PDB file of all heavy atoms in Angstrom:
ATOM      1  N   ARG X   1     214.474  83.702 128.067  1.00 90.00           N
ATOM      2  CA  ARG X   1     214.345  82.787 129.241  1.00 90.00           C
ATOM      3  C   ARG X   1     215.037  81.434 128.931  1.00 90.00           C
ATOM      4  O   ARG X   1     215.733  80.900 129.804  1.00 90.00           O
ATOM      5  CB  ARG X   1     212.841  82.550 129.423  1.00 90.00           C
ATOM      6  CG  ARG X   1     212.536  81.667 130.698  1.00 90.00           C
ATOM      7  CD  ARG X   1     210.999  81.405 130.705  1.00 90.00           C
ATOM      8  NE  ARG X   1     210.637  80.537 131.835  1.00 90.00           N
ATOM      9  CZ  ARG X   1     210.328  80.986 133.009  1.00 90.00           C
ATOM     10  NH1 ARG X   1     210.370  82.242 133.271  1.00 90.00           N
ATOM     11  NH2 ARG X   1     210.070  80.130 134.005  1.00 90.00           N
ATOM     12  N   ARG X   2     214.904  80.867 127.823  1.00 90.00           N
ATOM     13  CA  ARG X   2     215.599  79.677 127.419  1.00 90.00           C
ATOM     14  C   ARG X   2     217.149  79.887 127.482  1.00 90.00           C
ATOM     15  O   ARG X   2     217.815  79.026 127.975  1.00 90.00           O
ATOM     16  CB  ARG X   2     215.169  79.160 126.023  1.00 90.00           C
ATOM     17  CG  ARG X   2     215.869  77.970 125.497  1.00 90.00           C
ATOM     18  CD  ARG X   2     215.555  76.676 126.249  1.00 90.00           C
ATOM     19  NE  ARG X   2     216.226  75.521 125.660  1.00 90.00           N
ATOM     20  CZ  ARG X   2     216.569  74.421 126.304  1.00 90.00           C
ATOM     21  NH1 ARG X   2     216.375  74.321 127.610  1.00 90.00           N
ATOM     22  NH2 ARG X   2     217.135  73.431 125.703  1.00 90.00           N
ATOM     23  N   GLY X   3     217.515  81.009 126.937  1.00 95.00           N
ATOM     24  CA  GLY X   3     219.079  81.299 126.903  1.00 95.00           C
ATOM     25  C   GLY X   3     219.547  81.360 128.392  1.00 95.00           C
ATOM     26  O   GLY X   3     220.593  80.899 128.735  1.00 95.00           O
ATOM     27  N   ALA X   4     218.724  82.106 129.218  1.00 95.00           N
ATOM     28  CA  ALA X   4     219.143  82.252 130.604  1.00 95.00           C
ATOM     29  C   ALA X   4     219.294  80.957 131.266  1.00 95.00           C
ATOM     30  O   ALA X   4     220.186  80.758 132.108  1.00 95.00           O
ATOM     31  CB  ALA X   4     218.139  83.171 131.328  1.00 95.00           C
ATOM     32  N   ALA X   5     218.293  80.023 131.061  1.00 93.00           N
ATOM     33  CA  ALA X   5     218.347  78.724 131.684  1.00 93.00           C
ATOM     34  C   ALA X   5     219.566  77.893 131.251  1.00 93.00           C
ATOM     35  O   ALA X   5     220.241  77.222 132.091  1.00 93.00           O
ATOM     36  CB  ALA X   5     216.998  77.952 131.447  1.00 93.00           C
ATOM     37  N   ILE X   6     219.803  77.915 130.006  1.00 94.00           N
ATOM     38  CA  ILE X   6     220.953  77.151 129.379  1.00 94.00           C
ATOM     39  C   ILE X   6     222.254  77.636 130.033  1.00 94.00           C
ATOM     40  O   ILE X   6     223.063  76.903 130.523  1.00 94.00           O
ATOM     41  CB  ILE X   6     221.031  77.279 127.882  1.00 94.00           C
ATOM     42  CG1 ILE X   6     219.929  76.501 127.268  1.00 94.00           C
ATOM     43  CG2 ILE X   6     222.361  76.722 127.408  1.00 94.00           C
ATOM     44  CD1 ILE X   6     219.706  76.696 125.777  1.00 94.00           C
ATOM     45  N   LEU X   7     222.430  78.936 130.121  1.00 97.00           N
ATOM     46  CA  LEU X   7     223.670  79.500 130.581  1.00 97.00           C
ATOM     47  C   LEU X   7     223.854  79.165 132.127  1.00 97.00           C
ATOM     48  O   LEU X   7     224.964  78.789 132.568  1.00 97.00           O
ATOM     49  CB  LEU X   7     223.748  81.016 130.457  1.00 97.00           C
ATOM     50  CG  LEU X   7     225.036  81.743 130.878  1.00 97.00           C
ATOM     51  CD1 LEU X   7     226.233  81.171 130.105  1.00 97.00           C
ATOM     52  CD2 LEU X   7     224.906  83.245 130.612  1.00 97.00           C
ATOM     53  N   ALA X   8     222.762  79.349 132.877  1.00 96.00           N
ATOM     54  CA  ALA X   8     222.905  79.118 134.295  1.00 96.00           C
ATOM     55  C   ALA X   8     223.146  77.683 134.610  1.00 96.00           C
ATOM     56  O   ALA X   8     223.959  77.303 135.513  1.00 96.00           O
ATOM     57  CB  ALA X   8     221.563  79.548 135.032  1.00 96.00           C
ATOM     58  N   GLN X   9     222.479  76.686 133.832  1.00 94.00           N
ATOM     59  CA  GLN X   9     222.670  75.325 134.146  1.00 94.00           C
ATOM     60  C   GLN X   9     223.981  74.759 133.600  1.00 94.00           C
ATOM     61  O   GLN X   9     224.444  73.711 134.114  1.00 94.00           O
ATOM     62  CB  GLN X   9     221.503  74.541 133.486  1.00 94.00           C
ATOM     63  CG  GLN X   9     220.174  74.835 134.210  1.00 94.00           C
ATOM     64  CD  GLN X   9     218.973  74.286 133.533  1.00 94.00           C
ATOM     65  OE1 GLN X   9     219.073  73.349 132.740  1.00 94.00           O
ATOM     66  NE2 GLN X   9     217.818  74.846 133.717  1.00 94.00           N
ATOM     67  N   THR X  10     224.558  75.514 132.647  1.00 96.00           N
ATOM     68  CA  THR X  10     225.914  75.025 132.126  1.00 96.00           C
ATOM     69  C   THR X  10     227.037  75.597 132.880  1.00 96.00           C
ATOM     70  O   THR X  10     228.164  75.000 132.985  1.00 96.00           O
ATOM     71  CB  THR X  10     226.008  75.402 130.626  1.00 96.00           C
ATOM     72  OG1 THR X  10     224.904  75.015 129.895  1.00 96.00           O
ATOM     73  CG2 THR X  10     227.220  74.855 129.990  1.00 96.00           C
ATOM     74  N   LEU X  11     226.820  76.743 133.557  1.00 97.00           N
ATOM     75  CA  LEU X  11     227.937  77.475 134.234  1.00 97.00           C
ATOM     76  C   LEU X  11     228.685  76.641 135.162  1.00 97.00           C
ATOM     77  O   LEU X  11     229.972  76.800 135.191  1.00 97.00           O
ATOM     78  CB  LEU X  11     227.330  78.675 134.942  1.00 97.00           C
ATOM     79  CG  LEU X  11     228.303  79.652 135.531  1.00 97.00           C
ATOM     80  CD1 LEU X  11     229.038  80.390 134.341  1.00 97.00           C
ATOM     81  CD2 LEU X  11     227.593  80.662 136.462  1.00 97.00           C
ATOM     82  N   PRO X  12     228.143  75.697 135.997  1.00 96.00           N
ATOM     83  CA  PRO X  12     229.006  75.013 136.948  1.00 96.00           C
ATOM     84  C   PRO X  12     230.050  74.179 136.264  1.00 96.00           C
ATOM     85  O   PRO X  12     231.064  73.780 136.908  1.00 96.00           O
ATOM     86  CB  PRO X  12     228.050  74.113 137.693  1.00 96.00           C
ATOM     87  CG  PRO X  12     226.715  74.813 137.538  1.00 96.00           C
ATOM     88  CD  PRO X  12     226.679  75.376 136.195  1.00 96.00           C
ATOM     89  N   TYR X  13     229.917  73.861 134.917  1.00 97.00           N
ATOM     90  CA  TYR X  13     230.815  73.024 134.233  1.00 97.00           C
ATOM     91  C   TYR X  13     231.796  73.796 133.339  1.00 97.00           C
ATOM     92  O   TYR X  13     232.638  73.260 132.554  1.00 97.00           O
ATOM     93  CB  TYR X  13     230.074  71.955 133.417  1.00 97.00           C
ATOM     94  CG  TYR X  13     229.029  71.318 134.259  1.00 97.00           C
ATOM     95  CD1 TYR X  13     227.726  71.604 134.232  1.00 97.00           C
ATOM     96  CD2 TYR X  13     229.434  70.281 135.130  1.00 97.00           C
ATOM     97  CE1 TYR X  13     226.814  71.011 135.061  1.00 97.00           C
ATOM     98  CE2 TYR X  13     228.499  69.619 136.003  1.00 97.00           C
ATOM     99  CZ  TYR X  13     227.233  70.019 135.941  1.00 97.00           C
ATOM    100  OH  TYR X  13     226.274  69.420 136.695  1.00 97.00           O
ATOM    101  N   LEU X  14     231.724  75.134 133.337  1.00 98.00           N
ATOM    102  CA  LEU X  14     232.544  75.941 132.510  1.00 98.00           C
ATOM    103  C   LEU X  14     233.645  76.556 133.407  1.00 98.00           C
ATOM    104  O   LEU X  14     233.424  76.953 134.535  1.00 98.00           O
ATOM    105  CB  LEU X  14     231.723  77.147 131.963  1.00 98.00           C
ATOM    106  CG  LEU X  14     230.585  76.700 131.056  1.00 98.00           C
ATOM    107  CD1 LEU X  14     229.731  77.963 130.671  1.00 98.00           C
ATOM    108  CD2 LEU X  14     231.104  76.016 129.798  1.00 98.00           C
ATOM    109  N   PRO X  15     234.841  76.653 132.818  1.00 97.00           N
ATOM    110  CA  PRO X  15     235.872  77.340 133.563  1.00 97.00           C
ATOM    111  C   PRO X  15     235.633  78.882 133.655  1.00 97.00           C
ATOM    112  O   PRO X  15     234.848  79.402 132.933  1.00 97.00           O
ATOM    113  CB  PRO X  15     237.112  77.081 132.660  1.00 97.00           C
ATOM    114  CG  PRO X  15     236.654  76.923 131.249  1.00 97.00           C
ATOM    115  CD  PRO X  15     235.265  76.241 131.527  1.00 97.00           C
ATOM    116  N   ALA X  16     236.168  79.477 134.728  1.00 96.00           N
ATOM    117  CA  ALA X  16     236.007  80.924 134.884  1.00 96.00           C
ATOM    118  C   ALA X  16     236.578  81.615 133.705  1.00 96.00           C
ATOM    119  O   ALA X  16     237.603  81.225 133.053  1.00 96.00           O
ATOM    120  CB  ALA X  16     236.755  81.371 136.156  1.00 96.00           C
ATOM    121  N   GLY X  17     235.921  82.652 133.284  1.00 97.00           N
ATOM    122  CA  GLY X  17     236.385  83.463 132.119  1.00 97.00           C
ATOM    123  C   GLY X  17     235.355  84.584 131.776  1.00 97.00           C
ATOM    124  O   GLY X  17     234.680  85.038 132.681  1.00 97.00           O
ATOM    125  N   VAL X  18     235.256  84.860 130.510  1.00 98.00           N
ATOM    126  CA  VAL X  18     234.273  85.800 129.980  1.00 98.00           C
ATOM    127  C   VAL X  18     233.144  84.996 129.402  1.00 98.00           C
ATOM    128  O   VAL X  18     233.391  84.167 128.478  1.00 98.00           O
ATOM    129  CB  VAL X  18     234.942  86.693 128.976  1.00 98.00           C
ATOM    130  CG1 VAL X  18     233.897  87.693 128.441  1.00 98.00           C
ATOM    131  CG2 VAL X  18     236.084  87.459 129.544  1.00 98.00           C
ATOM    132  N   HIS X  19     231.926  85.233 129.839  1.00 98.00           N
ATOM    133  CA  HIS X  19     230.761  84.548 129.412  1.00 98.00           C
ATOM    134  C   HIS X  19     229.851  85.480 128.640  1.00 98.00           C
ATOM    135  O   HIS X  19     229.209  86.376 129.219  1.00 98.00           O
ATOM    136  CB  HIS X  19     230.024  83.927 130.607  1.00 98.00           C
ATOM    137  CG  HIS X  19     230.937  83.053 131.503  1.00 98.00           C
ATOM    138  ND1 HIS X  19     231.379  81.798 131.041  1.00 98.00           N
ATOM    139  CD2 HIS X  19     231.461  83.258 132.679  1.00 98.00           C
ATOM    140  CE1 HIS X  19     232.182  81.254 131.979  1.00 98.00           C
ATOM    141  NE2 HIS X  19     232.286  82.140 132.975  1.00 98.00           N
ATOM    142  N   LEU X  20     229.808  85.318 127.405  1.00 98.00           N
ATOM    143  CA  LEU X  20     229.066  86.195 126.449  1.00 98.00           C
ATOM    144  C   LEU X  20     227.782  85.500 126.032  1.00 98.00           C
ATOM    145  O   LEU X  20     227.831  84.345 125.492  1.00 98.00           O
ATOM    146  CB  LEU X  20     230.028  86.497 125.268  1.00 98.00           C
ATOM    147  CG  LEU X  20     229.330  87.181 124.028  1.00 98.00           C
ATOM    148  CD1 LEU X  20     228.701  88.509 124.511  1.00 98.00           C
ATOM    149  CD2 LEU X  20     230.414  87.576 123.034  1.00 98.00           C
ATOM    150  N   ALA X  21     226.701  86.154 126.236  1.00 98.00           N
ATOM    151  CA  ALA X  21     225.349  85.595 125.832  1.00 98.00           C
ATOM    152  C   ALA X  21     224.573  86.701 125.099  1.00 98.00           C
ATOM    153  O   ALA X  21     224.396  87.782 125.569  1.00 98.00           O
ATOM    154  CB  ALA X  21     224.537  85.231 127.070  1.00 98.00           C
ATOM    155  N   VAL X  22     224.170  86.340 123.826  1.00 98.00           N
ATOM    156  CA  VAL X  22     223.490  87.333 122.994  1.00 98.00           C
ATOM    157  C   VAL X  22     222.215  86.694 122.507  1.00 98.00           C
ATOM    158  O   VAL X  22     222.289  86.002 121.546  1.00 98.00           O
ATOM    159  CB  VAL X  22     224.402  87.938 121.895  1.00 98.00           C
ATOM    160  CG1 VAL X  22     223.635  89.012 121.134  1.00 98.00           C
ATOM    161  CG2 VAL X  22     225.671  88.369 122.343  1.00 98.00           C
ATOM    162  N   VAL X  23     221.143  87.007 123.196  1.00 97.00           N
ATOM    163  CA  VAL X  23     219.803  86.570 122.783  1.00 97.00           C
ATOM    164  C   VAL X  23     218.945  87.789 123.009  1.00 97.00           C
ATOM    165  O   VAL X  23     218.790  88.157 124.209  1.00 97.00           O
ATOM    166  CB  VAL X  23     219.278  85.313 123.579  1.00 97.00           C
ATOM    167  CG1 VAL X  23     217.810  84.974 123.062  1.00 97.00           C
ATOM    168  CG2 VAL X  23     220.209  84.113 123.311  1.00 97.00           C
ATOM    169  N   ASP X  24     218.460  88.440 121.955  1.00 94.00           N
ATOM    170  CA  ASP X  24     217.784  89.710 122.203  1.00 94.00           C
ATOM    171  C   ASP X  24     216.717  89.944 121.143  1.00 94.00           C
ATOM    172  O   ASP X  24     217.034  90.240 119.983  1.00 94.00           O
ATOM    173  CB  ASP X  24     218.816  90.906 122.156  1.00 94.00           C
ATOM    174  CG  ASP X  24     218.199  92.142 122.667  1.00 94.00           C
ATOM    175  OD1 ASP X  24     217.072  92.151 123.059  1.00 94.00           O
ATOM    176  OD2 ASP X  24     218.953  93.163 122.700  1.00 94.00           O
ATOM    177  N   PRO X  25     215.451  89.730 121.489  1.00 90.00           N
ATOM    178  CA  PRO X  25     214.371  89.995 120.511  1.00 90.00           C
ATOM    179  C   PRO X  25     214.215  91.451 120.146  1.00 90.00           C
ATOM    180  O   PRO X  25     213.629  91.721 119.103  1.00 90.00           O
ATOM    181  CB  PRO X  25     213.100  89.506 121.291  1.00 90.00           C
ATOM    182  CG  PRO X  25     213.470  89.591 122.716  1.00 90.00           C
ATOM    183  CD  PRO X  25     214.900  89.308 122.782  1.00 90.00           C
ATOM    184  N   ALA X  26     214.883  92.327 120.862  1.00 83.00           N
ATOM    185  CA  ALA X  26     214.787  93.740 120.580  1.00 83.00           C
ATOM    186  C   ALA X  26     216.030  94.297 120.001  1.00 83.00           C
ATOM    187  O   ALA X  26     216.328  95.504 120.093  1.00 83.00           O
ATOM    188  CB  ALA X  26     214.335  94.581 121.854  1.00 83.00           C
ATOM    189  N   VAL X  27     216.824  93.470 119.374  1.00 76.00           N
ATOM    190  CA  VAL X  27     218.034  93.942 118.741  1.00 76.00           C
ATOM    191  C   VAL X  27     217.739  95.017 117.768  1.00 76.00           C
ATOM    192  O   VAL X  27     216.800  94.978 116.979  1.00 76.00           O
ATOM    193  CB  VAL X  27     218.806  92.772 118.024  1.00 76.00           C
ATOM    194  CG1 VAL X  27     218.031  92.186 116.886  1.00 76.00           C
ATOM    195  CG2 VAL X  27     220.240  93.199 117.664  1.00 76.00           C
ATOM    196  N   GLY X  28     218.561  96.019 117.715  1.00 67.00           N
ATOM    197  CA  GLY X  28     218.432  97.184 116.797  1.00 67.00           C
ATOM    198  C   GLY X  28     217.731  98.344 117.495  1.00 67.00           C
ATOM    199  O   GLY X  28     217.802  99.471 116.916  1.00 67.00           O
ATOM    200  N   VAL X  29     217.263  98.175 118.736  1.00 72.00           N
ATOM    201  CA  VAL X  29     216.705  99.329 119.462  1.00 72.00           C
ATOM    202  C   VAL X  29     217.795  99.718 120.488  1.00 72.00           C
ATOM    203  O   VAL X  29     218.896  99.140 120.590  1.00 72.00           O
ATOM    204  CB  VAL X  29     215.393  98.935 120.206  1.00 72.00           C
ATOM    205  CG1 VAL X  29     214.385  98.488 119.175  1.00 72.00           C
ATOM    206  CG2 VAL X  29     215.593  97.888 121.273  1.00 72.00           C
ATOM    207  N   ASN X  30     217.536 100.810 121.230  1.00 77.00           N
ATOM    208  CA  ASN X  30     218.524 101.284 122.132  1.00 77.00           C
ATOM    209  C   ASN X  30     218.650 100.442 123.405  1.00 77.00           C
ATOM    210  O   ASN X  30     218.185 100.891 124.523  1.00 77.00           O
ATOM    211  CB  ASN X  30     218.198 102.697 122.381  1.00 77.00           C
ATOM    212  CG  ASN X  30     219.365 103.430 123.140  1.00 77.00           C
ATOM    213  OD1 ASN X  30     220.484 103.056 123.117  1.00 77.00           O
ATOM    214  ND2 ASN X  30     218.968 104.457 123.893  1.00 77.00           N
ATOM    215  N   ARG X  31     219.118  99.275 123.364  1.00 86.00           N
ATOM    216  CA  ARG X  31     219.241  98.314 124.429  1.00 86.00           C
ATOM    217  C   ARG X  31     220.637  98.575 125.099  1.00 86.00           C
ATOM    218  O   ARG X  31     221.654  98.588 124.381  1.00 86.00           O
ATOM    219  CB  ARG X  31     219.171  96.914 123.920  1.00 86.00           C
ATOM    220  CG  ARG X  31     219.418  95.914 125.043  1.00 86.00           C
ATOM    221  CD  ARG X  31     218.191  95.555 125.846  1.00 86.00           C
ATOM    222  NE  ARG X  31     217.267  94.745 125.069  1.00 86.00           N
ATOM    223  CZ  ARG X  31     216.021  94.417 125.523  1.00 86.00           C
ATOM    224  NH1 ARG X  31     215.614  94.955 126.634  1.00 86.00           N
ATOM    225  NH2 ARG X  31     215.230  93.714 124.747  1.00 86.00           N
ATOM    226  N   ARG X  32     220.673  98.709 126.373  1.00 95.00           N
ATOM    227  CA  ARG X  32     221.963  98.855 127.034  1.00 95.00           C
ATOM    228  C   ARG X  32     222.722  97.541 126.970  1.00 95.00           C
ATOM    229  O   ARG X  32     222.150  96.399 127.165  1.00 95.00           O
ATOM    230  CB  ARG X  32     221.682  99.232 128.531  1.00 95.00           C
ATOM    231  CG  ARG X  32     222.899  99.426 129.345  1.00 95.00           C
ATOM    232  CD  ARG X  32     222.496 100.106 130.694  1.00 95.00           C
ATOM    233  NE  ARG X  32     221.414  99.354 131.367  1.00 95.00           N
ATOM    234  CZ  ARG X  32     220.620  99.887 132.329  1.00 95.00           C
ATOM    235  NH1 ARG X  32     220.873 101.211 132.604  1.00 95.00           N
ATOM    236  NH2 ARG X  32     219.746  99.246 132.891  1.00 95.00           N
ATOM    237  N   ALA X  33     224.043  97.598 126.810  1.00 97.00           N
ATOM    238  CA  ALA X  33     224.936  96.470 126.843  1.00 97.00           C
ATOM    239  C   ALA X  33     225.667  96.525 128.141  1.00 97.00           C
ATOM    240  O   ALA X  33     226.189  97.642 128.561  1.00 97.00           O
ATOM    241  CB  ALA X  33     225.957  96.545 125.644  1.00 97.00           C
ATOM    242  N   VAL X  34     225.895  95.378 128.818  1.00 98.00           N
ATOM    243  CA  VAL X  34     226.406  95.412 130.136  1.00 98.00           C
ATOM    244  C   VAL X  34     227.543  94.380 130.282  1.00 98.00           C
ATOM    245  O   VAL X  34     227.591  93.318 129.622  1.00 98.00           O
ATOM    246  CB  VAL X  34     225.374  95.287 131.260  1.00 98.00           C
ATOM    247  CG1 VAL X  34     224.397  96.411 131.165  1.00 98.00           C
ATOM    248  CG2 VAL X  34     224.610  93.970 131.004  1.00 98.00           C
ATOM    249  N   ALA X  35     228.404  94.656 131.275  1.00 98.00           N
ATOM    250  CA  ALA X  35     229.350  93.690 131.765  1.00 98.00           C
ATOM    251  C   ALA X  35     229.135  93.604 133.240  1.00 98.00           C
ATOM    252  O   ALA X  35     229.015  94.587 133.925  1.00 98.00           O
ATOM    253  CB  ALA X  35     230.790  94.191 131.489  1.00 98.00           C
ATOM    254  N   VAL X  36     229.022  92.350 133.703  1.00 98.00           N
ATOM    255  CA  VAL X  36     228.746  92.135 135.125  1.00 98.00           C
ATOM    256  C   VAL X  36     229.854  91.193 135.710  1.00 98.00           C
ATOM    257  O   VAL X  36     230.114  90.098 135.141  1.00 98.00           O
ATOM    258  CB  VAL X  36     227.347  91.406 135.292  1.00 98.00           C
ATOM    259  CG1 VAL X  36     227.031  91.239 136.793  1.00 98.00           C
ATOM    260  CG2 VAL X  36     226.286  92.238 134.603  1.00 98.00           C
ATOM    261  N   GLU X  37     230.391  91.558 136.824  1.00 98.00           N
ATOM    262  CA  GLU X  37     231.381  90.752 137.500  1.00 98.00           C
ATOM    263  C   GLU X  37     230.724  89.938 138.649  1.00 98.00           C
ATOM    264  O   GLU X  37     229.950  90.482 139.384  1.00 98.00           O
ATOM    265  CB  GLU X  37     232.497  91.629 138.102  1.00 98.00           C
ATOM    266  CG  GLU X  37     233.406  92.297 137.002  1.00 98.00           C
ATOM    267  CD  GLU X  37     234.491  93.060 137.697  1.00 98.00           C
ATOM    268  OE1 GLU X  37     234.201  94.069 138.472  1.00 98.00           O
ATOM    269  OE2 GLU X  37     235.714  92.757 137.474  1.00 98.00           O
ATOM    270  N   ALA X  38     230.949  88.624 138.663  1.00 98.00           N
ATOM    271  CA  ALA X  38     230.375  87.801 139.696  1.00 98.00           C
ATOM    272  C   ALA X  38     231.187  86.514 139.808  1.00 98.00           C
ATOM    273  O   ALA X  38     231.520  85.925 138.800  1.00 98.00           O
ATOM    274  CB  ALA X  38     228.900  87.442 139.238  1.00 98.00           C
ATOM    275  N   GLY X  39     231.555  86.247 140.982  1.00 97.00           N
ATOM    276  CA  GLY X  39     232.270  84.902 141.281  1.00 97.00           C
ATOM    277  C   GLY X  39     233.530  84.720 140.453  1.00 97.00           C
ATOM    278  O   GLY X  39     233.871  83.619 140.125  1.00 97.00           O
ATOM    279  N   GLY X  40     234.308  85.746 140.282  1.00 96.00           N
ATOM    280  CA  GLY X  40     235.536  85.647 139.511  1.00 96.00           C
ATOM    281  C   GLY X  40     235.323  85.502 138.013  1.00 96.00           C
ATOM    282  O   GLY X  40     236.309  85.137 137.252  1.00 96.00           O
TER     283      GLY X  40
END
């Protein structure tokens, strides 16, 4: 939740590009990795 808030609130000041966020309390389990296209 904290990571999601930081990324969303910082996004308006970041240039368009690839935005990588890795915060995962369940790392090491079979978690799906995703790429999402939004707003260029």
